[in-house]
Amino acid sequence: MNDPIPTPDIEDFDSDPLSQRNEDIFARRELLRVGHVPESGRIVGRDQEISAVEDLLRPAAFGEPPKNAIVYGKTGTGKSLVSKHVTGRARAIATRNNAKFGAAYVDCDQCDTQTRVARSLAQQVQQQSSKNISVPDIGIGASEYFKYLWSMLEELDVFIAIVDEIDKLGDDEVLFKLSRAEESGKTSCYVGVLAISNKIEYYERLNERVKSSLQEAELVFHPYDANQLISILENRRDAFKPNVLQSGVIPRVAALAAREHGDARKAIEILYSAGELAAKNGDAQVTEEHVDAAQDYADVSRFQELIRGSTPHSKYALFALAYLTKIRIGDAFSTGEIYRVYEQVCDSEGADALSRQRVLELLKEWAFSDITENKYTGGGKGQGSYREHTLLREADMVIETVFEQASTKRDILAELQE
Ligand SMILES: Nc1ncnc2c1ncn2[C@@H]1O[C@H](COP(=O)(O)OP(=O)(O)OP(=O)(O)O)[C@@H](O)[C@H]1O
């Protein structure tokens, strides 16, 4: 059979660009990868949270019933890390205490249905089981997967399920089944659930019957401040070779991430991208300029993703504001002015314009994502005051992103100028 990817004879390996490694400044790149679980010595600033999770899981380390908990906090505040870290230690201690301890981690961002969660739990327990059971990949539903799970749990004294991004699941069935497993006679194994969410209002949405089984503990993880972020990054400095990071780099990354909302993931990502950028440029050191460029790049890509993922009319409304920002003097525009341009955009796209009220709502949604800002202006309350919108991003970039096809963009701009 013909190999679809032929391997050529390379005459001069040394001059092939692929032979030039970018790696020189990195020593342990994996320390900065998303999903890397650092060892205890590298976890900083979460002592209280670690000890709260230890209190929940301590009984499990002796083969006794653990407590359930809901863990809240904004993204990148260490919820998954602390949950996995303490569960891992509890498993090690349980083994020393001759207690049979199983654990599984499911991210509902990836497993977003009851069936997927149940399958992932069952398959993870299967890997830890001594029984020769094979959990099928397809062809059965959630309740069958749960049956597999309950039957395998019979081998264990305790099982801890960490269910991350729980709010991505449409209903509470998974939480209900897990938190009531032993009580409802499904298994004699003690099951503990650590349910993680970055939406604090999630608890309000939970069904009463689930609330009552989960309210044993509620933990809130607060954002990191700049100093904590500095310590988290310092503890991973050895991802780079010695003397590669200039002295201002870590404080700068920490300051940028703290400004967002104290997100450790963001901080690690910026540091990694700055390193990649330096490596790509062939620079021997990472500088604050690399950090700023990495941050700008991340910011622009996130923003472009947001635009690309929005509905056509939402894009047209934003485009109208960007267009006015580009061609007019001043940077704040009334809903009426934006609406008139929006109508023209709809016209040239062959779409029916939405009502002015609806377009106002779409503009408010952009303000919610910090892409625009709006406020009342004019004569004051009841005296002809009206709402003005301001674009907080570069107009050109919005225009480029909304209409990625150069010809469409050209046509629309030409029609608007007429
Ligand atoms: N206290 C800390 N010490 C060291 N590294 C940390 C700490 N907190 C978070 N990190 C690192 O930051 C990244 C994000 O952490 P984690 O996944 O635990 O956040 P999270 O709160 O679960 O976020 P999300 O809600 O987005 O899943 C991980 O790479 C983790 O290793």
Side-chain angles (χ1 to χ4, degrees):
M1 206 176 83
N2 257 352
D3 185 347
I5 307 175
T7 310
D9 290 326
I10 296 180
E11 277 178 16
D12 182 359
F13 279 96
D14 289 339
S15 66
D16 190 303
L18 272 181
S19 295
Q20 321 303 318
R21 288 187 75 142
N22 282 338
E23 299 277 316
D24 294 337
I25 61 170
F26 286 103
R28 292 187 60 196
R29 204 178 256 269
E30 73 279 6
L31 294 181
L32 302 177
R33 298 308 285 252
V34 176
H36 170 76
V37 180
E39 60 268 34
S40 341
R42 293 182 195 268
I43 304 179
V44 187
R46 290 284 95 139
D47 294 351
Q48 270 182 3
E49 291 77 1
I50 290 179
S51 114
V53 180
E54 284 170 355
D55 289 344
L56 299 170
L57 299 192
R58 188 166 288 108
F62 296 90
E64 290 160 13
K67 287 195 181 128
N68 299 319
I70 293 214
V71 182
Y72 296 112
K74 288 202 170 174
T75 162
T77 50
K79 303 180 297 295
S80 321
L81 170 61
V82 167
S83 307
K84 286 180 187 168
H85 163 74
V86 180
T87 304
R89 280 172 44 223
R91 175 157 56 190
I93 294 168
T95 309
R96 199 198 55 177
N97 290 339
N98 293 323
K100 295 189 203 92
F101 187 114
Y105 171 86
V106 188
D107 185 352
C108 303
D109 193 31
Q110 274 132 39
C111 298
D112 57 357
T113 62
Q114 209 195 137
T115 306
R116 289 185 185 143
V117 174
R119 176 173 57 212
S120 174
L121 291 172
Q123 290 184 333
Q124 290 179 61
V125 174
Q126 175 201 354
Q127 280 166 11
Q128 298 162 38
S129 162
S130 59
K131 281 191 191 161
N132 197 8
I133 296 178
S134 156
V135 178
D137 269 330
I138 46 168
I140 61 172
S143 55
E144 303 297 318
Y145 281 121
F146 272 115
K147 277 190 198 147
Y148 274 104
L149 180 66
W150 307 142
S151 94
M152 290 184 294
L153 289 187
E154 284 309 304
E155 260 189 274
L156 301 174
D157 297 317
V158 197
F159 173 63
I160 303 295
I162 305 175
V163 190
D164 208 344
E165 305 229 23
I166 189 82
D167 43 277
K168 297 275 165 67
L169 281 178
D171 59 45
D172 324 334
E173 267 322 290
V174 168
L175 284 187
F176 185 68
K177 289 202 172 97
L178 288 171
S179 58
R180 293 284 171 93
E182 188 233 332
E183 191 184 313
S184 60
K186 300 284 185 207
T187 171
S188 56
C189 168
Y190 297 126
V191 176
V193 188
L194 292 177
I196 305 180
S197 171
N198 43 35
K199 298 202 168 46
I200 195 95
E201 70 279 6
Y202 177 70
Y203 187 71
E204 301 305 319
R205 276 187 7 220
L206 277 178
N207 192 309
E208 285 306 321
R209 56 183 194 154
V210 182
K211 270 187 194 167
S212 69
S213 21
L214 281 179
Q215 69 192 12
E216 291 178 306
E218 224 182 302
L219 309 180
V220 179
F221 281 44
H222 296 288
Y224 295 108
D225 62 29
N227 286 332
Q228 288 172 319
L229 291 172
I230 288 180
S231 310
I232 290 174
L233 297 171
E234 280 295 349
N235 274 1
R236 299 190 193 202
R237 182 183 269 281
D238 52 339
F240 295 91
K241 290 190 173 158
N243 305 322
V244 162
L245 294 186
Q246 279 194 355
S247 62
V249 165
I250 286 185
R252 177 90 193 125
V253 174
L256 290 173
R259 200 177 65 187
E260 292 253 331
H261 65 247
D263 177 343
R265 176 183 293 108
K266 182 100 198 169
I268 294 169
E269 275 171 7
I270 301 176
L271 184 62
Y272 185 44
S273 313
E276 292 234 284
L277 198 63
K280 195 163 159 236
N281 294 347
D283 298 333
Q285 283 198 307
V286 183
T287 65
E288 286 180 58
E289 284 72 38
H290 291 127
V291 173
D292 289 344
Q295 159 73 4
D296 287 350
Y297 180 75
D299 196 35
V300 169
S301 356
R302 191 180 61 87
F303 164 58
Q304 288 181 324
E305 279 312 304
L306 210 62
I307 295 189
R308 289 191 187 114
S310 64
T311 61
H313 286 275
S314 197
K315 286 183 193 162
Y316 302 159
L318 187 67
F319 178 91
L321 174 59
Y323 178 74
L324 288 170
T325 310
K326 191 170 158 63
I327 60 149
R328 295 269 189 85
I329 298 171
D331 57 6
F333 304 93
S334 69
T335 312
E337 285 173 294
I338 299 170
Y339 188 70
R340 280 191 289 282
V341 178
Y342 159 83
E343 279 183 311
Q344 284 177 276
V345 176
C346 289
D347 205 32
S348 69
E349 281 293 276
D352 289 334
L354 302 176
S355 70
R356 185 172 149 152
Q357 180 57 32
R358 185 69 194 110
V359 169
L360 173 60
E361 280 161 22
L362 294 175
L363 287 166
K364 284 192 198 160
E365 279 170 21
W366 285 118
F368 192 69
S369 323
D370 285 336
I371 286 172
T372 68
E373 177 179 77
N374 64 71
K375 55 177 183 291
Y376 273 108
T377 184
K381 210 175 174 197
Q383 293 177 21
S385 69
Y386 57 93
R387 199 185 281 272
E388 277 192 337
H389 307 263
T390 305
L391 185 66
L392 301 176
R393 306 292 171 132
E394 254 181 71
D396 277 331
M397 195 224 304
V398 173
I399 291 172
E400 294 293 329
T401 313
V402 170
F403 292 111
E404 282 176 287
Q405 270 211 333
S407 54
T408 319
K409 189 177 65 204
R410 215 175 29 241
D411 293 349
I412 291 185
L413 290 174
E415 280 184 41
L416 287 172
Q417 272 155 20
E418 274 172 15

